[in-house]
Every structure is written in structure tokens, then in C-alpha cells.
Amino acid sequence: MRSPSTILVTGAAGFIGSHACVELLDHGYELIAVDDYSNSGPEVFARVEEIAGRFVGAVYELDIRDRRSLSAVFDRHAVDAVMHFAGRKAVGESTRMPVEYYDTNVGGTTSLLRTMHDHGVHRMVFSSSCSLYGDASRGPLDEASPVRPTNPYAASKWACEQILADVCHRLPEFTVLALRYFNPVGAHPGGLLGEDPSGTPDNLMPYLAQVAVGRRERLHVFGDDYPTPDGTAVRDYLHVMDTVEAHRVALEHLADRPGMQIFNLGVGRGSSVLDVVAAFGAACGSPVPYDIVPRRPGDVSELVADASAVAHAWGWKPTRDLADMCRDAWRFQQLNPAGYARSAHLANR
Ligand code: NAD
Ligand code: WQD
């Protein structure tokens, strides 16, 4: 089997997918980018190309559940491996729209698997999530920690992992690396690519960035009565550039052994909400105003990775710290105060 050189990236226009495109182009891979733009837009590819100094080989607007269109892409290109980012990811929304979440995340994954198998493509790097550990505030979580999804989003990721594991078990030609990310944040250091959520951000870092740039008044810190050193909840934040570097390294290890392997992707260090607020204030040069409000329903006290398995398997570790994550998220926010669509950068192209 030739080593992967042509990679089909689903969800390529999204936050992590777009950074992965840059990483892959930078390392000489050929790309086939697929996205339905349900949570992104095509304008991101001009930025990817500007950063990488290369064209993204082929870009297709399609829903991965549309097997006929997906199959036509596999007919046209000799795909070596798939990086599968496409899916819905908002925990709160998933509790209101469970059918859509199972349909997109599980149905999208089975449609992709079917199409890959039909075309003799059997290698995948899959985006999984720490959310499937559920309420697990018991110190660093390794990959053997119990899985207890507490919402449809997390349950959909767990269902995908189980399907992928079973397929790998029964069909030895399949190899899957499932990466359970903790909290990917930050942006490409040049400020052209970052996280551009539509509407009010659900997540801490993009919300903080919008307060810092003046788009929102104050951050709401959800709870200061957790059993943590400062009372605010603790998470394992991982720079998006480290996240996508791990994906590129994963490609290099897809052929190491057949079957499915699962790895946590985190730094292995916890930061509280107030740690992140302070680090962001240092990055942007003035304190970010916040109020303490009651806990957000469904939040847990602490989620930190035991990230040693991936370091042991591949000799790879994240290199960027919280200050880097805040600096890069802030630079992106400053250069794109209203997001990609209305940024001066694109208007001037
Ligand atoms: P994102 O929403 O920015 O990117 C997902 C992309 O997939 C979007 O561009 C969207 O338009 C596309 N998409 C959605 N449904 C599709 C479909 N049916 N067909 C084709 N394209 C479709 O999200 P992200 O933060 O980049 O996350 C990427 C993956 O990583 C997701 O699977 C997510 O569940 C997982 N993940 C993300 C985080 C995080 O904190 N960002 C953490 C753990 C896991
Ligand atoms: C981080 C901390 C909040 C916003 C989510 C998903 C998880 C994974 C990563 C996909 C928490 C606090 C937040 C705000 C706040 N994604 N917070 N004010 O909830 O750890 O994880 O993203 O797989 O599945 O659940 O990330 O960034 O929303 O929150 O105080 O306005 O910041 O309570 O403690 P979370 P987050």
C-alpha cells in the first residue's frame, strides 16, 4: 500500500479542517476538500491558499450524506486516506436537535465509510471528542476511562467510534485512528485563519475574543463554586495548530498497525476559566471584563487529558501553551473583527 499522499478532507472549510488543510499543503500532500458549508463558507479556501502558497487541489460543495455526489468525487480522484472532520458539534443544540445530530454525525460517517469501501479506500483519521467521557472529574483521563456520553452530540461520536471499531475488526483492510480532542482553541499564527462561529459563540475562547475586540460587553463566567483551585471549571486547552499537526503525524502512522486505535489529544494540563481570562487579558493588553454567573447546565468541573499514549506511540507532543493560544486567537480577532465574511482582507482581494 502506498503511503498516503492524496487526502480527502471532509469538513475542510471548518475551524479545525481549514487549519488541517494548511498543515497538509505545507507538508506536500494533495488535497480534496469537501464541505457543505452548513457551518462555514468557501471564502476560507482563499486564505488557506494564501498561507500555504499553493492551490487547494479540488474543492467540492456537498453533503457527505449525499452518496451519489460523494461517490463521484471518489470516482474522479485516487484518494489514499480520509480526514473526517465534517459534522455538527454544538452540545446544547444537540439536546434540542438529536435527530439532526445522529443523522449528520452517524449517517455522514456511514455514508463516507460505504463510499470509501466501494472505492477501495480504507484509511481514515476520525475527529472524536473528549465529550464522550461525560461527567468525569476524576483527574487526567486516559483512553481506557469509562465512556459515558451525556448528550446526543457526544453519543453520536461514541456511536461513530463503535461503528468504526467494528468495521475495522471485521474487515482487516480498514485502519482508523480516532482522535479524541479536548478543547482545541487558538488560530493560525498569521491571523488569516481562525475560529469564526456564526451567531453568539458557545465556547469560551471565541466569546472572550469578541469581548476583547468590543463586539460583546462582558464575558459570563459560568460558575465559581466548582471544587477547583479558583472555583471555576478546568479544561485542557490545545492549540489548533498542535491539533492539526497531530493529524498530519497520524497519517504517517496509519500504516503502523491494522485496525482501530484511539488517542486523546490534549496538553495534559488543566486551565481554569479565570486562568484563560487572565491569559487572554495579557495577550490583548488589557483585562477582559467578566461577571460570575451560575453554572451552565451540563458543564462538569474538570476535564483534563492523560495525553501520554499519543506521545508514547508517535513521539509527538503539543508544543504551544495557553499564552500562544490566546495570542493567536487575539491576532485573528483583531484582523477579522466581524469574522471572515466581512473582513477587510477579503474585501481588498
Ligand atoms: P466546524 O463546525 O468549524 O467544522 C465542521 C465542518 O463540517 C463545517 O465546515 C461544516 O460546514 C461541515 N459539515 C457539517 N456537516 C456536513 C455534512 N453533512 N457534509 C459536509 N460537510 C459538513 O467544527 P470544528 O470545530 O472544525 O470541528 C471539526 C470536527 O472536530 C467535528 O467533527 C467536531 O465534532 C470535532 N471536534 C471539535 C472540537 C472543538 O472543540 N472544536 C472538539 C472535539 C471534536
Ligand atoms: C470551556 C469552559 C465553560 C463559555 C466543548 C464541548 C466539547 C468539545 C470542546 C467538541 C467551561 C466556560 C464557556 C462562556 C464560560 N467540543 N465558559 N463562559 O464546554 O469544555 O467543551 O468544546 O467536541 O464536547 O462540550 O468548552 O469552550 O464551551 O467551555 O465560563 O461564555 O468555559 O463553563 O467551563 P467545553 P467551552
Side-chain angles (χ1 to χ4, degrees), residues 19 47 50-51 187-194 239 241 327-329 331-333 335-336 345:
H19 289 78
R47 292 165 179 249
E50 186 168 335
I51 296 168
H188 186 274
L192 278 182
L193 272 190
H239 199 296
M241 296 308 298
R327 180 200 62 218
D328 293 335
R331 184 176 299 120
F332 173 74
Q333 189 68 63
L335 292 175
N336 307 271
H345 175 79

Side-chain angles (χ1 to χ4, degrees), residues 89 91 128-131 153 181-184 201-205 207 219-222 226 233-235 237 273 296 299-300 303:
K89 65 162 181 177
V91 170
S128 192
S129 169
C130 67
S131 60
Y153 166 70
Y181 324 149
F182 278 64
N183 288 54
D202 287 323
N203 300 113
L204 176 62
M205 187 74 81
Y207 201 108
L219 174 77
H220 301 294
V221 173
F222 298 138
Y226 287 104
V234 167
R235 297 289 182 273
Y237 297 92
V273 178
R296 181 170 67 178
D299 271 351
V300 300
L303 273 179

